[in-house]
Amino acid sequence: MMDQIYIGVDVAKSWLDIYHPTRGARRIENTPGDVRSFARAAAREGAWVIFEASDGYDRVLRDGLEAARASFSRVNPRQARDFARAMGVIGKTDRVDARMLATFGQRLQPPQTPRVSPTRQVLIAQITRRRQLVEMRKQEITTLQQTTDRDSRSDIKSLILLLERRIEKVETRITEIIRSSPELAETDRRLQSVPGVGTIVAATIMAELPEIGTTDRRKIAALAGLAPIARDSGQRNGRRVIGGGRATVRTVLYLAALHASRHSTMFRAFRQKLQASGKPVKAALTATARKLLCVLNSMVADGTYFQEIQPT
């Protein structure tokens, strides 16, 4: 049996640096045509492609690999950097990164990244667009608070109003996308049966955490960046912290946990118990967000709806 070939790809806005373990390094344009040719060649060879998530610049690569039915893993950049440091690699160039990703694949053999359905791809795009618009609105609101000139304030207010209308339009489109898919619509109903989980929280989870309901609570918490990381050494027990994972999912879950701890007896009692034991508010809310995610994960896995559990 032949050993699996792992190809490392470092993604940039305009090009891809590719490292093949037997053919060495090369660079191609990050365009659909060039990427499709590479993806088809990788699929024919049975190679496994490793690349980092890179703020949307990897979208063309992922689409090409999925179309060619090639095996690939889209890995967390922090995990890849930690691996490089562990291997003693200090320098950082595109070619070095590509070679290190190939080594990362060969040594750690990460799992196949789930393929994204066309409907989910559209949902991801709309969730991303909404997040961009919300950020622009936030910036304009901050600018408005810092501006005293009347004409400038009037212009800023009109832009904020325009952004709010665009956000509403995108949110309507998000709802339409979810309703068009029986699978997404059913998952949406389950998720929103939990107090604190609304349309945007549910849509973000479905779009950016497709593993929900398919793995255990520890792995799903790690994927969302809500798993506590130990920092113990010798007899010292360091403070647990969270990190890594998918920041957008973690953010919406944190906000959902805030609302859930106000409107759900179960989550309110959980948060209050932590704070009564001396946990800071932020730590208690983070733990509540982790518990909320675990409940959602179990509901999707079991095909059930939320049931309030009265604290004893």
Side-chain angles (χ1 to χ4, degrees):
M1 181 178 177
M2 295 180 61
D3 291 337
Q4 176 66 60
I5 294 173
Y6 289 93
I7 299 175
V9 179
D10 184 77
V11 179
K13 181 179 180 179
S14 301
W15 61 77
L16 306 178
D17 279 285
I18 299 169
Y19 182 81
H20 190 288
T22 59
R23 301 183 191 129
R26 66 188 178 104
R27 174 175 287 185
I28 66 172
E29 298 296 316
N30 191 7
T31 59
D34 286 359
V35 169
R36 281 196 298 267
S37 296
F38 161 70
R40 286 195 293 265
R44 285 195 300 269
E45 187 180 12
W48 197 297
V49 179
I50 309 291
F51 61 96
E52 295 178 349
S54 55
D55 296 328
Y57 294 143
D58 62 322
R59 182 76 263 171
V60 174
L61 175 59
R62 181 168 182 168
D63 288 347
L65 292 169
E66 288 188 348
R69 298 189 177 278
S71 298
F72 67 91
S73 297
R74 182 176 184 259
V75 301
N76 188 306
R78 174 178 291 185
Q79 186 181 13
R81 286 194 294 271
D82 288 346
F83 176 80
R85 283 195 289 267
M87 294 292 292
V89 177
I90 299 175
K92 179 175 173 57
T93 67
D94 295 341
R95 289 193 174 187
V96 168
D97 288 348
R99 182 169 185 170
M100 187 51 58
L101 285 167
T103 306
F104 177 96
Q106 193 273 327
R107 296 287 181 88
L108 301 185
Q109 300 178 3
Q112 164 78 43
T113 295
R115 285 178 165 79
V116 181
S117 68
T119 302
R120 199 180 293 269
Q121 288 181 7
V122 176
L123 181 59
I124 291 171
Q126 292 301 308
I127 287 292
T128 301
R129 184 55 184 157
R130 180 189 179 276
R131 187 164 58 246
Q132 292 167 344
L133 291 169
V134 168
E135 183 60 31
M136 285 189 279
R137 181 181 62 180
K138 180 181 176 182
Q139 292 174 353
E140 289 302 312
I141 290 173
T142 300
T143 302
L144 180 64
Q145 295 170 345
Q146 299 170 346
T147 302
T148 58
D149 178 71
R150 183 175 15 178
D151 291 339
S152 297
R153 287 180 60 85
S154 177
D155 182 69
I156 294 169
K157 287 178 181 179
S158 66
L159 180 54
I160 291 173
L161 181 60
L162 175 62
L163 290 170
E164 288 175 346
R165 289 173 179 168
R166 300 300 298 178
I167 291 169
E168 290 175 3
K169 184 177 180 179
V170 171
E171 289 177 349
T172 299
R173 178 62 181 140
I174 288 170
T175 301
E176 292 172 350
I177 294 167
I178 293 171
R179 289 177 179 174
S180 71
S181 166
E183 178 186 357
L184 291 179
E186 179 60 26
T187 302
D188 179 63
R189 286 191 290 271
R190 295 190 193 286
L191 296 177
Q192 289 202 53
S193 69
V194 180
V197 177
T199 301
I200 300 306
V201 173
T204 302
I205 291 171
M206 289 188 293
E208 304 198 25
L209 195 64
E211 298 89 348
I212 191 160
T214 65
T215 187
D216 62 50
R217 60 185 181 87
R218 291 183 177 84
K219 290 181 180 178
I220 202 70
L223 287 171
L226 287 169
I229 301 171
R231 295 182 180 275
D232 299 339
S233 178
Q235 297 182 351
R236 181 182 68 83
N237 293 324
R239 181 171 63 89
R240 267 53 175 171
V241 297
I242 60 171
R246 299 167 196 175
T248 53
V249 176
R250 184 169 63 249
T251 298
V252 298
L253 284 169
Y254 187 89
L255 295 174
L258 178 61
H259 291 289
S261 63
R262 292 172 177 169
H263 302 291
S264 163
T265 303
M266 180 177 75
F267 290 109
R268 180 168 59 248
F270 180 79
R271 176 185 169 184
Q272 289 176 345
K273 182 178 180 180
L274 290 175
Q275 291 183 216
S277 67
K279 290 283 186 183
V281 173
K282 186 174 181 179
L285 274 173
T286 299
T288 305
R290 183 165 58 251
K291 181 177 178 64
L292 172 62
L293 176 58
C294 292
V295 169
L296 295 172
N297 189 57
S298 295
M299 287 167 46
V300 175
D302 299 337
T304 58
Y305 287 82
F306 178 70
Q307 292 184 342
E308 190 76 72
I309 300 175
Q310 298 297 326
T312 57

